[in-house]
Amino acid sequence: AAVPSQVVPGADPSARQLCFAWGPAEVLVCETLFGRRGGSPARGEGGPRRALLPGALTACVAGTGEGGPGSSRLFVVRKDQDVYIQTLRKLFNESHGIFIGLQRSEEELAGKSRKAQLVQVSKNYRSVIRACMEDMHQAAISTRDPALQSQYSTQVSILSAMELIWNLCEILFVEAAAAGPLLLHLLDWVRLHVCDVDNMVREVLSSENPSKHELFWNVVDVFVLQGRMDEARHLLSKEASANPASVNMYKILDDLMKKMPVPSLGNTQTLTEMELKWQHWHEECQRYLQDGTFASNSHMESICKILLGDEDAILEKKELMTTWYHFLVTRLLYSHPTVKPMELRMDLFLGGESSPEPLDTILMAAFEFEMHQVIKECSIALSNWWFVAHLTDLLDHCKLLQSHNLYFGSNMREFLLLEYASGLFSHHSLWQLGVDYFDHCPEYGRVYLELHIERIPLNTEQKALKVLRICEQRQMHEQVRSICKIMAMKALRNNRLGSALSWSIRAKDAAFATLISDRFLKDYCERGCFSDLDLIDNLGPSMLLSDRLTFLGKYREFHRLYGEKRFAEAAKLLLMLMTAHIAPCSFWLTLLTDALPLLEQKEVIFSAEQTYELMRCLEDLTASKSDKQKLQDDDVEAMKVEMLRLALARNLARVIVKEGTLEGS
Amino acid sequence: QDNRISVWSAGDLGNVGLNGDCQGEPQLLCDIGHNGDVMDMQFLDQERIVVASSTGTVTVFRHHQNNQTLSANQRWEKAHYHVDQDTSCGGAACTGVTCNNPEIVTVGEDGRINLFRADQKDAVRTIDNADSSTLHAVTFLRTTEILTVNSIGQLKIWDLRQQRNEPSQIFSLTGDRVPLHCVDRHPNQQHVVATGGQDGMLSIWDIRQGTMPVSLLNAHEAEMWEVHFHPSNPDHLFTCSEDGSLWHWDTSTDVSEKPSFLHQGGRSTTYFSHNTINQSVVSAWLSNDPTKDRMEITNLIPNQTLSVNSLDILGPCLVYGTDAEAIYVNRQLFA
């Protein structure tokens, strides 16, 4: 059947033409004014709402108020809605920790210890799923909103299914126990997950006279079906004491149950030994059944048949088993206890439901050891990538996935991790987890990270610092520069010059530092004084980041020296600023004008040498202007130049005399 | 975004098990929604908590212990903002808050310092453009003086009694102007100040003398977010960082008795020869003599992954929070 396309509820392309734009994690869909064929606007609402498919794109509508014809609506469509479920955050965070631990774990450990380690990782994942289930369950109970409650309950059942599947995968793929112990694990799995009968069991056990309870035999049957022999025998002993007539029958049945050979975890017996014992025991059961030992008690007879692995007898207890996989495992227990992993074939399945649910398909695929099929089915059935990404990664570490190269380059593990992590990046806070996932995708991880990290909204400086640290640690220099520029620009617009400078220093962005210095200088020219002296006075080595910044620092120093009346030093500095070309040409006139008061001092400050230098600077300045400019020069500037020339000449005169006099004496 | 302020109970001390493990998880007592990211918070008194928000708002919450609820007691909206609302790009976060009941001082990305008094609607005093860069943290030095650190590596002392809007003293790091993110003052010796920088460096200052730090200790590999002296045991200092580690710095003298090769350190313990013998006279933190006692430094986090953003200590309890959305409580700090 064709896969139905995903639907945005409320958007009807048959009524209006839709246009869309891709965002980093969202799609903007909006209705245009055009009808389906273009031209005049469509009238009225769209067609009937279509049902939402599980895993479909979910949408929230942000639209205009009126719903009449002619108004357009805007949809924000988010693909990964699960990322925003509050109670799943614990799942994402904790599993991130486990994931990192797994990636960092010792690869050198071989054989058994490595396997034990991987099994532990798998168990950790499962316990996180269970913890999340608990929280979700608590939330479902305590909420009063019925919509929320149903959402939580759905989530609980999804998580429960996830844990079921993961557990089975752990048994079959990760643990991959040898024949015999495999069955024990499967029995545990069944006992843990098929708990519809637990209430019944509890009821009977806690009653005054269990053997008289109407459900007594049901409970005994449950125990037998689940291979819980000791508990079954314990219950039966109560029946025996209550019913002395059947003591003999009971003794025999009890004996049979006690003697049933079970595969031991310690593997103290070989497969052949076990099979022999089992054969022997099987024949004994057969004999008792055929002798009619249990003929008078139908319950005990059916138990004996179950022990013999009689399919019909087991199938009779369908309601007690509730699921086909319980049936499968029970049948394995009583017909093939030494089942090797390869022998779990589906032709043993006789559950007989009409059409399998997604969960059934997945479990079936698992029993058939079709790992890729399991992953594929899970990807389709589940609404986000969490499950398949982590499970595939674990299986990959178990070296179970052939490097199944997908045709666009990366392998399955990487593909799933990339999808999962990309989903995380659409969240305002969980994106940090995504970074580590990208780190462990060797082919495309870095590229994805580079693209995603620039799109994280930076609403506080602290967030920007975190993003920057991530980029710096991975030598993503482009991104560092880009982010620092954005922050510096923001700071500049908010008139936070110190912050802007701090960002340019971090990015070692000389160009921006120049920009900031120009801003300072502009402020100075306009106001006649410096703003933010605490910054300029304390530039330190960062002054060297850009020439303009150096100039700014030195220029401020000049002002300080002047203020402290250290005129000789100030003069020297001023001159140096021009002769060493630290000062930009546009500023020279200002500098020369600053020299005026020094020239006009009673005491001669500039030496002859220095005065000649100043004159040269002035000439350079005026010469560099073209004739056209000279004509356009306003009077103020022309006057300044004249004053300077006069002052310089006067200074020169005085200094020649002074120097001449000194030499003479 | 759904940010919340929550109050948790970390269990009774009587609940400690045989081997000293914390029994039981912290229980959530109550919580309340908060607008914007929580940048900083501090208890004003037994019942009130002051919270700094990334929207520039400062809120005082009251924790009602009788019915275990939280309510917003007072709010100063736009305590921090950028001047020209029309052209400003985004709000200005309030980055730090410090309390000395009933006074509250806040600083922010707008370089502004506010002095509030609990229960007074308007700010008592505001110093606009106190700093041309972002102020990252503030703490009380004395009742009338505060310390601030900024993003161009300066530590400033402000005297709130004086009316002029200039710091009374400016200290800065040698070398590069690495931004400073956190500051704390020694509980007993008020001239000893510790700051943490963007490069993870811990600096100890003596503000009586000089304008440069007394010692620079290379600690973390990334931004140091918070530094705290232990309030009752000030020979112990704690720092946490973006690199995911939390360091415990211990200059108490009993360490020196044992010869170094017998000394059992924790995991990832390193030694710094640091201090002189006369602990009682000179502060353990200020001495520069490398020949005598040792400082023990321990990383309290075995498997570090994401950033540790904040920590606090009281008595034998240490609590810290990470970017993995987890809070850790250690109630046997000195065991």
Side-chain angles (χ1 to χ4, degrees):
Chain A
V3 178
S5 56
Q6 315 227 281
V7 178
V8 178
D12 188 5
S14 62
R16 301 273 196 101
Q17 273 190 356
L18 302 172
C19 64
F20 67 93
W22 289 104
E26 300 149 331
V27 179
L28 273 180
V29 176
C30 80
E31 294 175 342
T32 63
L33 288 176
F34 303 107
R36 200 66 191 95
R37 296 284 160 89
S40 57
R43 299 180 136 270
E45 290 286 311
R49 296 194 163 237
R50 290 180 213 139
L52 203 60
L53 294 165
L57 300 172
T58 50
C60 50
V61 179
T64 55
E66 317 92 57
S71 68
S72 297
R73 289 177 301 172
L74 183 68
F75 300 88
V76 176
V77 181
R78 237 183 233 141
K79 207 163 73 141
D80 214 327
Q81 195 71 329
D82 282 2
V83 170
Y84 283 89
I85 297 180
Q86 194 64 17
T87 28
L88 283 183
R89 278 173 89 143
K90 186 184 197 161
L91 183 71
F92 298 136
N93 277 293
E94 296 280 316
S95 59
H96 164 261
I98 301 172
F99 175 83
I100 298 291
L102 175 60
Q103 310 307 308
R104 287 184 191 165
S105 68
E106 296 291 305
E107 282 279 354
E108 296 90 54
L109 288 180
K112 278 209 176 122
S113 36
R114 176 70 173 156
K115 180 184 276 198
Q117 202 178 43
L118 292 168
V119 171
Q120 187 55 47
V121 169
S122 180
K123 289 195 158 93
N124 288 343
Y125 275 124
R126 282 196 298 126
S127 74
V128 171
I129 299 176
R130 277 201 300 273
C132 212
M133 226 159 70
E134 255 309 305
D135 287 348
M136 199 77 86
H137 184 65
Q138 287 302 319
I141 296 177
S142 55
T143 186
R144 293 208 201 116
D145 176 3
L148 263 185
Q149 189 174 52
S150 90
Q151 187 190 52
Y152 287 147
S153 303
T154 322
Q155 275 299 332
V156 171
S157 47
I158 293 177
L159 284 171
S160 159
M162 273 167 35
E163 208 260 323
L164 177 73
I165 300 167
W166 193 298
N167 200 345
L168 184 61
C169 290
E170 180 185 307
I171 294 171
L172 294 176
F173 306 139
V174 184
E175 181 99 52
L182 178 65
L183 185 61
L184 291 177
H185 289 302
L186 285 174
L187 279 172
D188 280 335
W189 177 69
V190 162
R191 286 172 205 160
L192 196 56
H193 289 102
V194 182
C195 27
D196 292 353
V197 293
D198 282 356
N199 277 337
M200 179 176 72
V201 170
R202 236 191 318 260
E203 210 183 290
V204 171
L205 287 178
S206 55
S207 74
E208 284 236 338
N209 211 341
S211 56
K212 294 290 176 247
H213 200 289
E214 54 172 0
L215 297 173
F216 170 77
W217 284 106
N218 282 2
V219 175
V220 176
D221 286 337
V222 164
F223 286 151
V224 172
L225 289 167
Q226 291 187 358
R228 289 149 85 170
M229 289 306 177
D230 291 336
E231 289 164 81
R233 288 172 51 214
H234 179 76
L235 262 190
L236 274 179
S237 69
K238 291 205 203 298
E239 156 75 1
S241 49
N243 203 346
S246 46
V247 156
N248 267 340
M249 267 199 299
Y250 156 72
K251 272 211 188 116
I252 296 172
L253 188 59
D254 181 77
D255 194 51
L256 284 178
M257 287 165 79
K258 190 165 77 174
K259 285 201 298 198
M260 175 176 175
V262 266
S264 62
L265 272 176
N267 253 349
T268 49
Q269 50 188 356
T270 66
L271 222 53
T272 354
E273 256 178 48
M274 164 78 189
E275 279 192 15
L276 268 174
K277 273 197 207 163
W278 193 83
Q279 200 57 40
H280 199 76
W281 172 83
H282 199 262
E283 280 165 9
E284 198 180 333
C285 292
Q286 192 74 25
R287 245 183 301 129
Y288 280 118
L289 184 67
Q290 283 170 348
D291 285 347
T293 325
F294 303 110
S296 55
N297 188 328
S298 62
H299 293 291
M300 292 211 200
E301 191 174 51
S302 90
I303 289 177
C304 190
K305 283 191 184 159
I306 292 173
L307 290 181
L308 283 169
D310 183 324
E311 215 168 83
D312 296 320
I314 300 177
L315 266 179
E316 255 176 58
K317 310 291 174 186
K318 214 156 105 164
E319 273 87 52
L320 292 176
M321 292 189 291
T322 66
T323 59
W324 60 268
Y325 36 93
H326 187 327
F327 167 74
L328 174 68
V329 175
T330 305
R331 208 170 172 293
L332 285 173
L333 173 64
Y334 292 112
S335 46
H336 299 268
T338 56
V339 60
K340 295 204 191 70
M342 300 311 137
E343 291 168 349
L344 278 179
R345 288 183 351 259
M346 280 326 296
D347 52 3
L348 302 172
F349 164 52
L350 270 176
E353 259 103 60
S354 43
S355 69
E357 295 194 3
L359 179 61
D360 295 324
T361 333
I362 296 167
L363 292 174
M364 268 192 254
F367 276 116
E368 284 177 346
F369 284 84
E370 294 285 338
M371 251 175 277
H372 290 278
Q373 190 67 16
V374 171
I375 295 169
K376 180 174 154 202
E377 295 290 336
C378 287
S379 307
I380 296 175
L382 293 167
S383 59
N384 80 23
W385 298 102
W386 181 87
F387 182 82
V388 283
H390 289 88
L391 182 63
T392 311
D393 174 65
L394 179 61
L395 293 177
D396 189 67
H397 274 89
C398 299
K399 307 252 188 294
L400 289 172
L401 295 176
Q402 303 131 342
S403 94
H404 197 110
N405 272 335
L406 302 170
Y407 58 84
F408 43 83
S410 61
N411 61 19
M412 172 128 78
R413 167 190 173 270
E414 181 156 324
F415 170 74
L416 293 171
L417 285 174
L418 289 171
E419 287 294 314
Y420 172 64
S422 302
L424 286 175
F425 263 89
S426 63
H427 193 274
H428 58 86
S429 163
L430 290 174
W431 60 268
Q432 282 182 294
L433 306 177
V435 173
D436 286 314
Y437 286 100
F438 281 142
D439 279 345
H440 290 103
C441 293
E443 289 250 8
Y444 291 115
R446 193 187 163 89
V447 176
Y448 269 67
L449 184 60
E450 282 173 9
L451 290 172
H452 277 281
I453 207 142
E454 276 190 320
R455 285 162 177 79
I456 297 170
L458 304 172
N459 51 337
T460 60
E461 287 198 1
Q462 192 171 18
K463 203 163 173 188
L465 287 172
K466 285 183 184 271
V467 174
L468 270 178
R469 183 60 61 183
I470 290 170
C471 294
E472 278 175 4
Q473 280 170 346
R474 290 156 182 76
Q475 276 96 45
M476 290 163 54
H477 302 297
E478 274 298 314
Q479 282 70 26
V480 170
R481 261 196 296 271
S482 155
I483 291 169
C484 284
K485 248 202 189 78
I486 293 172
M487 297 305 293
M489 224 29 231
K490 265 197 213 172
L492 208 57
R493 280 212 206 112
N494 290 326
N495 220 24
R496 314 290 317 142
L497 294 174
S499 293
L501 187 62
S502 156
W503 290 108
S504 356
I505 292 174
R506 176 103 184 232
K508 300 199 190 15
D509 191 343
F512 216 90
T514 307
L515 195 76
I516 296 169
S517 320
D518 279 337
R519 231 338 233 283
F520 270 116
L521 292 169
K522 195 172 102 170
D523 279 351
Y524 168 76
C525 289
E526 281 169 15
R527 280 192 261 156
C529 64
F530 285 107
S531 62
D532 306 317
L533 281 176
D534 62 330
L535 171 65
I536 309 176
D537 279 342
N538 291 292
L539 283 173
S542 58
M543 209 194 300
L544 301 171
L545 183 60
S546 109
D547 283 344
R548 197 60 50 83
L549 200 55
T550 316
F551 167 64
L552 182 64
K554 292 285 173 201
Y555 188 50
R556 165 69 195 147
E557 201 181 317
F558 162 73
H559 278 272
R560 252 211 330 272
L561 289 170
Y562 188 92
E564 291 168 14
K565 301 215 190 309
R566 290 152 70 181
F567 295 129
E569 289 171 64
K572 207 157 152 199
L573 181 56
L574 186 64
L575 194 54
M576 193 263 291
L577 285 176
M578 283 188 283
T579 53
H581 292 285
I582 298 178
C585 292
S586 51
F587 224 75
W588 278 22
L589 194 53
T590 318
L591 287 175
L592 287 166
T593 320
D594 284 333
L596 265 177
L598 288 172
L599 290 165
E600 300 294 333
Q601 289 278 341
K602 245 174 147 186
E603 213 187 295
V604 169
I605 299 169
F606 286 101
S607 71
E609 186 82 33
Q610 286 173 328
T611 316
Y612 282 124
E613 286 288 337
L614 279 173
M615 287 167 121
R616 192 175 60 77
C617 289
L618 183 59
E619 290 317 306
D620 282 345
L621 187 61
T622 48
S624 64
K625 291 196 192 152
S626 67
D627 289 318
K628 214 175 172 186
Q629 275 183 315
K630 273 194 190 134
L631 287 170
Q632 288 171 350
D633 263 345
D634 57 1
D635 289 327
V636 176
E637 219 170 273
M639 196 173 72
K640 270 194 207 166
V641 172
E642 282 306 311
M643 277 174 66
L644 272 169
R645 287 223 174 92
L646 188 58
L648 281 168
R650 277 215 289 260
N651 191 62
L652 191 57
R654 288 194 298 166
V655 81
I656 289 177
V657 170
K658 178 176 162 210
E659 282 178 8
T661 315
L662 279 167
E663 275 175 318
S665 62
Chain B
Q1 289 189 31
D2 182 28
N3 296 318
R4 309 192 74 76
I5 304 285
S6 319
V7 178
W8 302 73
S9 146
D12 321 313
L13 285 175
N15 234 352
V16 175
L18 280 173
N19 47 355
D21 291 342
C22 279
Q23 295 290 348
E25 290 193 0
Q27 298 298 320
L28 177 64
L29 295 176
C30 50
D31 65 2
I32 190 169
H34 180 261
N35 191 15
D37 297 339
V38 174
M39 306 295 294
D40 198 6
M41 62 183 178
Q42 197 165 58
F43 273 97
L44 178 61
D45 55 24
Q46 286 281 44
E47 289 190 333
R48 288 179 294 180
I49 309 159
V50 186
V51 179
S53 165
S54 62
T55 58
T57 303
V58 180
T59 319
V60 181
F61 289 97
R62 184 178 287 266
H63 176 217
H64 306 274
Q65 279 165 0
N66 48 355
N67 61 351
Q68 287 304 348
T69 53
L70 276 169
S71 62
N73 197 0
Q74 189 166 13
R75 182 167 281 143
W76 293 287
E77 310 248 346
K78 297 266 179 282
H80 294 276
Y81 57 93
H82 287 298
V83 178
D84 196 341
Q85 294 287 18
D86 297 327
T87 62
S88 74
C89 307
C94 174
T95 51
V97 68
T98 187
C99 305
N100 189 3
N101 205 0
E103 294 186 324
I104 302 168
V105 179
T106 70
V107 293
E109 281 178 9
D110 55 354
R112 180 171 278 117
I113 301 178
N114 290 313
L115 172 62
F116 296 105
R117 217 180 202 94
D119 305 328
Q120 270 188 23
K121 195 161 137 324
D122 295 319
V124 169
R125 181 152 172 222
T126 299
I127 306 177
D128 286 326
N129 215 18
D131 201 307
S132 61
S133 63
T134 302
L135 288 167
H136 281 134
V138 63
T139 189
F140 270 97
L141 178 62
R142 281 178 231 271
T143 343
T144 52
E145 290 184 322
I146 54 170
L147 286 164
T148 60
V149 288
N150 66 11
S151 61
I152 41 176
Q154 295 172 322
L155 171 68
K156 295 183 182 174
I157 302 181
W158 302 81
D159 189 336
L160 297 172
R161 284 169 304 190
Q162 298 193 5
Q163 276 316 303
R164 62 182 196 137
N165 290 344
E166 301 285 322
S168 49
Q169 238 184 320
I170 301 182
F171 303 85
S172 48
L173 296 165
T174 51
D176 284 329
R177 299 290 188 253
V178 176
L180 293 174
H181 284 290
C182 51
V183 63
D184 196 21
R185 189 208 77 205
H186 194 288
N188 308 329
Q189 298 164 344
Q190 292 180 340
H191 53 273
V192 179
V193 172
T195 61
Q198 200 169 83
D199 52 0
M201 188 102 78
L202 172 67
S203 314
I204 310 283
W205 312 69
D206 180 348
I207 55 174
R208 291 171 310 190
Q209 33 180 271
T211 54
M212 293 187 321
V214 167
S215 45
L216 295 168
L217 303 164
N218 228 328
H220 297 281
E221 289 160 8
E223 286 83 353
M224 186 189 299
W225 293 124
E226 290 201 10
V227 61
H228 289 274
F229 282 98
H230 193 290
S232 45
N233 237 340
D235 283 338
H236 298 264
L237 181 80
F238 296 85
T239 59
C240 66
S241 160
E242 176 72 21
D243 69 1
S245 60
L246 196 157
W247 294 86
H248 170 190
W249 307 68
D250 183 356
T251 58
S252 46
T253 43
D254 17 321
V255 174
S256 64
E257 304 307 312
K258 309 174 196 167
S260 60
F261 59 91
L262 283 181
H263 189 78
Q264 300 291 319
R267 258 165 276 154
S268 30
T269 310
T270 53
Y271 292 94
F272 259 87
S273 7
H274 201 69
N275 300 304
T276 62
I277 289 179
N278 294 341
Q279 298 287 331
S280 51
V281 178
V282 182
S283 169
W285 296 102
L286 291 183
S287 314
N288 263 324
D289 190 340
T291 58
K292 302 301 164 77
D293 300 341
R294 302 162 181 286
M295 176 173 356
E296 183 182 331
I297 309 171
T298 324
N299 182 3
L300 297 177
I301 302 181
N303 296 318
Q304 56 196 65
T305 47
L306 294 179
S307 164
V308 180
N309 293 322
S310 181
L311 74 97
D312 205 358
I313 9 157
L314 192 64
C317 295
L318 167 74
V319 60
Y320 61 93
T322 68
D323 264 342
E325 305 188 3
I327 304 174
Y328 297 82
V329 180
N330 179 347
R331 288 199 299 245
Q332 307 260 287
L333 200 49
F334 297 110

